[in-house]
Amino acid sequence: LLHDIGKVWELSWGTSIDYTTIGRLQGHIVMGVEFFKDRAANIDDLSQDLITQVAHLILSHQGSYENGCPVVPMTREAFILYYLDEIDSKMNAIDRELEKASNSSGEFTGYINLLDRMLYKGPSQAE
């Protein structure tokens, strides 16, 4: 629940979605871990170890330095969170692409850069 909490401040929405100034300058990972640590400091029953491990989840949830992580996953829970977030992202991309291509002819979508491939959508309705 907390890994993307910083997006609340990173993004603005109205007629379109865009980045806020602070979102561009700091990013949702930094803002998310700051938010969590500020709130966690006021909860007496949280151990420093638990705070550190939850902060690690937020800091590493994008999986690699190339994806914008300040640290890479180093716990079982961090790996699970990264892969679940990755699966969610890919499944959403697949759903969007299949929906976009649902009225086009052919059995495959066009090439999808994010997925580095085309997707099979089955026989076209005309067939």
Side-chain angles (χ1 to χ4, degrees):
L1 293 172
L2 292 174
H3 76 282
D4 275 337
I5 191 70
K7 286 188 178 187
V8 171
W9 302 282
E10 181 182 43
L11 302 172
S12 66
W13 53 93
T15 56
S16 65
I17 297 175
D18 198 2
Y19 286 87
T20 62
T21 300
I22 194 168
R24 287 186 195 277
L25 294 175
Q26 294 185 4
H28 78 280
I29 293 175
V30 170
M31 289 185 287
V33 82
E34 286 177 353
F35 171 82
F36 167 70
K37 284 186 166 189
D38 287 346
R39 297 316 180 278
N42 297 320
I43 302 173
D44 294 331
D45 295 341
L46 291 182
S47 70
Q48 187 56 52
D49 183 59
L50 181 59
I51 292 169
T52 299
Q53 289 198 42
V54 172
H56 177 69
L57 291 170
I58 298 168
L59 292 166
S60 68
H61 79 271
Q62 290 186 320
S64 68
Y65 301 120
E66 294 81 16
N67 289 338
C69 282
V71 295
V72 294
M74 293 184 215
T75 65
R76 175 184 300 247
E77 294 82 2
F79 273 96
I80 291 169
L81 176 59
Y82 163 65
Y83 284 113
L84 287 173
D85 200 35
E86 188 69 13
I87 289 169
D88 182 56
S89 171
K90 295 292 191 271
M91 293 302 105
N92 282 325
I94 288 169
D95 290 346
R96 280 192 312 274
E97 293 297 331
L98 289 174
E99 179 63 31
K100 280 191 335 193
S102 65
N103 294 322
S104 63
S105 62
E107 295 181 321
F108 290 87
T109 65
Y111 187 81
I112 304 160
N113 287 331
L114 175 68
L115 302 173
D116 197 26
R117 70 198 72 206
M118 300 182 336
L119 295 173
Y120 178 68
K121 49 181 203 167
S124 67
Q125 299 294 16
E127 298 172 9

